Amino acid sequence: MAGKIALKQLTRSDLTFFQHQHEVLQAGHQKSINLNQDVFVGALFPALPDTPEGRSGYLGMDLVLLGPGIHTALRLQRKIVKRSTYKNWRLNGELVPKAAAGARFDPLQPGDFVVFDFSGNVFPTAARLLFVAAAVPEDATLHGILAERLGSRKMIPLDSSELGSLIDAAALPDSHPALEFTLGEAIEDAALGGVAGVERLFRRRSGTTMDQEALQRARLRAEAVGREGEALIDGWLALQARQGVIRSHRWVSDLNAVAPYDFSVEDAAGNTIRLDVKSTAGPFERTLHISMAELQEMADAGRRYDLYRVYALEAGTARLRIAEDMAGFADSLLHTFSELPEGVTPDGVSISPAVLLFGPEIEIRLPEDEED
DNA sequence: TATGGAGGTAAGGATCCACC
DNA sequence: GGTGGATCCTTACCTCCATA
């Protein structure tokens, strides 16, 4: 996940977000977690006040709650609101009921931590929340490290690499949900069949039931991202056709899921180009995977085959870089594979985008009527 | 040191819903 | 329909801190 990350120390009133603490702490009627202005808007979403969503003061939100300690993810729908009279945005809506959460959040006390990982570039559309409680033995080391990092401040932004370093330093047990933050890229890679991701997970994790759940979530997410990326390119190509940049296009994989390419495009000169879309919500550099069938199709010298790298993908927006005419590259790989012993055939390859010749970045932002 | 902005807390009003 | 409790939302006020 290419998230915007923040670390916050929980106050008494923040903990009223949970039914148990709301009853026990008697910390007022507020049922929300305060999102400090300087971090939530200033550091993470500076353009938010200028968006219709920001002006509406209402952001619907899918939440995945992780921790404290070792628990499976709890999914909820809540909202982040800011009325005109509010000073801060607040994660609000409804407290987390005991019926849904059991006793897992009961150990949380004022002074404990929550790590927010928001999805969304301009405004948040979803978030993962990792709760870290001093009273939970599995969290104790990480709690100390986060306390030292936060110092006297109440809420700070973090980048993913720094969060990864903090979590690594805590030497958490293999099944701790915080590892989803450091191993998210590896999980996505493994879900797509990447060898590097599998190796990294194998080194760090021990195949618990939580791993299966995380992997399944990553697989479903990767599929959804792939589909969303193709839909976005479909809309973008339609726009290109209307502007006369291309004559027409056809979304082939929408009709035939096993097709070795995603789109067939007729350019302005009437040439047919096949193209495959590789999408990620993460950064451009994330490893991409090409199947053997796609490689063979690429190597067909009679027709141009382009690779579309869609990244930083989120609702209706993404960035795109295009590697044109992959035939030579695919041909060289297939030549290498021909040296393998008879009866041995690779299923596909994992490729760092750095080894391909990509064109400049194109920002894709479709008008609302182009989405879907 | 004064001031203003932001964070945290708590009081009270509005609304919903179960029960009679 | 009336009543009362639970829940949710709004707002006021206190405290802290950065800045001039």
Side-chain angles (χ1 to χ4, degrees):
Chain A
M1 180 185 289
K4 291 174 180 282
I5 299 169
L7 169 65
K8 185 177 200 292
Q9 188 166 43
L10 294 161
T11 65
R12 281 181 75 214
S13 57
D14 287 333
L15 287 170
T16 57
F17 189 57
F18 301 101
Q19 183 183 8
H20 172 77
Q21 280 81 356
H22 179 252
E23 292 168 0
V24 170
L25 295 175
Q26 295 291 312
H29 298 272
Q30 176 183 298
K31 296 174 180 66
S32 58
I33 297 178
N34 207 55
L35 299 169
N36 299 9
Q37 181 87 359
D38 60 338
V39 175
F40 182 65
V41 176
L44 301 187
F45 298 103
L48 176 61
D50 301 323
T51 64
E53 291 78 11
R55 284 190 289 273
S56 76
Y58 184 101
L59 306 169
M61 192 76 40
D62 290 325
L63 299 182
V64 175
L65 272 51
L66 302 167
I70 297 168
H71 291 281
T72 53
L74 175 64
R75 292 175 177 278
L76 296 170
Q77 287 198 315
R78 293 293 184 270
K79 58 197 176 188
I80 293 178
V81 294
K82 184 180 185 300
R83 306 282 179 220
S84 59
T85 53
Y86 286 17
K87 285 176 293 189
N88 300 308
W89 287 85
R90 287 174 170 169
L91 178 58
N92 205 340
E94 189 182 334
L95 49 72
V96 178
K98 289 178 185 172
R104 66 184 286 181
F105 297 109
D106 294 5
L108 286 169
Q109 293 287 327
D112 285 339
F113 298 103
V114 57
V115 176
F116 294 95
D117 179 10
F118 294 104
S119 299
N121 279 340
V122 181
F123 59 87
T125 54
R128 284 190 301 180
L129 276 64
L130 172 69
F131 291 92
V132 181
V136 173
E138 294 87 351
D139 285 359
T141 312
L142 181 59
H143 189 282
I145 289 169
L146 294 179
E148 189 175 335
R149 174 64 185 89
L150 195 61
S152 61
R153 298 187 63 191
K154 303 296 181 188
M155 186 172 181
I156 57 171
L158 290 175
D159 62 47
S160 59
S161 63
E162 185 184 7
L163 177 63
S165 300
L166 296 172
I167 290 172
D168 283 347
L172 296 167
D174 285 345
S175 51
H176 197 288
L179 294 178
E180 274 198 44
F181 286 75
T182 60
L183 298 178
E185 182 179 347
I187 290 172
E188 179 182 310
D189 191 60
L192 291 168
V195 174
V198 171
E199 277 187 354
R200 179 145 189 243
L201 290 175
F202 185 73
R203 281 202 305 275
R204 283 304 307 266
R205 306 184 76 161
S206 57
T208 64
T209 52
M210 203 214 103
D211 287 351
Q212 295 293 335
E213 188 203 353
L215 192 61
Q216 182 61 14
R217 279 206 303 276
R219 190 168 285 140
L220 290 172
R221 179 175 163 74
E223 286 172 7
V225 166
R227 176 79 186 170
E228 199 179 331
E230 289 176 21
L232 196 67
I233 292 299
D234 183 52
W236 184 73
L237 289 173
L239 211 58
Q240 298 279 294
R242 282 206 293 280
Q243 292 169 355
V245 180
I246 61 173
R247 284 188 188 174
S248 65
H249 81 286
R250 194 159 54 93
W251 186 355
V252 177
S253 61
D254 191 39
L255 303 169
N256 179 5
V258 296
Y261 54 94
D262 293 323
F263 290 89
S264 177
V265 172
E266 188 179 4
D267 70 11
N271 303 308
T272 299
I273 302 168
R274 291 181 169 176
L275 62 94
D276 199 45
V277 179
K278 300 294 182 190
S279 303
T280 178
F284 170 75
E285 294 76 16
R286 206 165 265 191
T287 303
L288 48 86
H289 304 276
I290 299 176
S291 71
M292 195 63 182
E294 288 166 347
L295 271 180
Q296 286 166 342
E297 186 70 25
M298 278 178 195
D300 180 353
R303 200 180 283 111
R304 198 175 111 189
Y305 191 118
D306 294 351
L307 192 66
Y308 278 40
R309 178 51 157 173
V310 173
Y311 56 103
L313 174 69
E314 62 179 63
T317 70
R319 290 164 196 195
L320 168 68
R321 290 180 70 183
I322 300 171
E324 293 184 350
D325 200 358
M326 297 284 291
F329 178 78
D331 203 44
S332 67
L333 285 178
L334 291 176
H335 180 73
T336 303
F337 294 155
S338 70
E339 306 292 322
L340 292 170
E342 194 172 335
V344 177
T345 309
D347 293 332
V349 291
S350 301
I351 298 174
S352 164
V355 305
L356 299 174
L357 193 61
F358 278 97
E361 180 178 281
I362 301 166
E363 183 159 358
I364 300 182
R365 184 181 295 276
L366 297 180
E368 281 186 15
D369 60 354
E370 290 290 344
E371 294 178 26
D372 297 330

